[in-house]
């Protein structure tokens, strides 16, 4: 017989967050780690109704991902992550090789969007 365990507290994420909060996190997780599963989310959400938080934590564990602890706004999309990565890389290169071009980074990113 298993004992009842208190849910794992996640700093920055309210324990009473609604199902949409967890759904958004699960969608992003599957988009990043297993896009073929995105179509299964509605069924999973129905199956785990009332236990969406536990579902999210299980999926994080399955893909060995730290739970997203940001409670403000939506999780960053994979496209936004790519843009941030490129922005950071270009910034590093310009800082070292051509600091006068640092102000041109946003225009460069827009041009090749």
């Amino acid at each position: 017989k298993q004992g009842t365990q208190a849910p794992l507290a996640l700093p920055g994420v309210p324990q009473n967050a609604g199902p949409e909060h967890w759904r958004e996190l699960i969608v992003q997780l599957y988009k990043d780690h297993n896009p073929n599963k995105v179509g299964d989310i509605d069924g999973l959400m129905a199956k785990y109704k009332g236990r969406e938080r536990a579902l999210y934590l299980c999926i994080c564990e399955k893909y060995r991902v730290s739970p997203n602890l940001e409670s403000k706004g939506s999780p960053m999309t994979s496209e936004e992550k790519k843009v941030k990565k490129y922005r950071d890389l270009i910034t590093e290169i310009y800082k070292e090789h051509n600091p006068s071009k640092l102000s041109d980074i946003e225009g460069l990113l827009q041009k090749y969007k």
Side-chain angles (χ1 to χ4, degrees), residues 61-108:
E61 188 175 318
K62 178 178 180 175
Y63 293 104
R64 297 182 178 167
V65 173
S66 295
N68 185 338
L69 304 181
E70 296 176 20
S71 60
K72 294 180 181 177
S74 300
M76 194 181 286
T77 66
S78 59
E79 185 65 27
E80 290 169 331
K81 287 178 185 177
K82 285 180 190 174
V83 171
K84 181 184 181 326
K85 179 182 173 183
Y86 289 129
R87 180 182 293 112
D88 293 345
L89 291 170
I90 293 167
T91 300
E92 283 183 46
I93 292 168
Y94 280 175
K95 277 182 182 176
E96 186 174 337
H97 300 286
N98 196 349
S100 65
K101 294 286 242 172
L102 284 169
S103 62
D104 298 338
I105 293 173
E106 289 306 315
L108 183 66

Side-chain angles (χ1 to χ4, degrees), residues 1 6 11 14 39 41 43 47 49 51 53 60 95 97 99:
K1 183 177 175 181
I41 292 173
K47 183 177 178 180
K49 186 174 182 172
R51 300 178 293 144
R53 182 175 177 275
C60 286
K95 277 182 182 176
H97 300 286

Side-chain angles (χ1 to χ4, degrees), residues 1-76:
K1 183 177 175 181
Q2 291 182 320
T4 305
Q5 293 180 335
L8 175 67
L10 298 176
V13 176
Q15 283 196 354
N16 61 349
E20 255 330 287
H21 172 81
W22 300 111
R23 186 180 196 289
E24 287 178 23
L25 293 174
I26 292 168
V27 166
Q28 190 58 51
L29 194 67
Y30 277 146
K31 281 183 178 179
D32 292 343
H33 297 280
N34 193 352
N36 294 332
K37 292 285 225 173
V38 172
D40 298 342
I41 292 173
D42 288 335
L44 283 171
M45 295 299 288
K47 183 177 178 180
Y48 286 87
K49 186 174 182 172
R51 300 178 293 144
E52 296 87 357
R53 182 175 177 275
L55 172 62
Y56 171 69
L57 293 175
C58 287
I59 295 169
C60 286
E61 188 175 318
K62 178 178 180 175
Y63 293 104
R64 297 182 178 167
V65 173
S66 295
N68 185 338
L69 304 181
E70 296 176 20
S71 60
K72 294 180 181 177
S74 300
M76 194 181 286

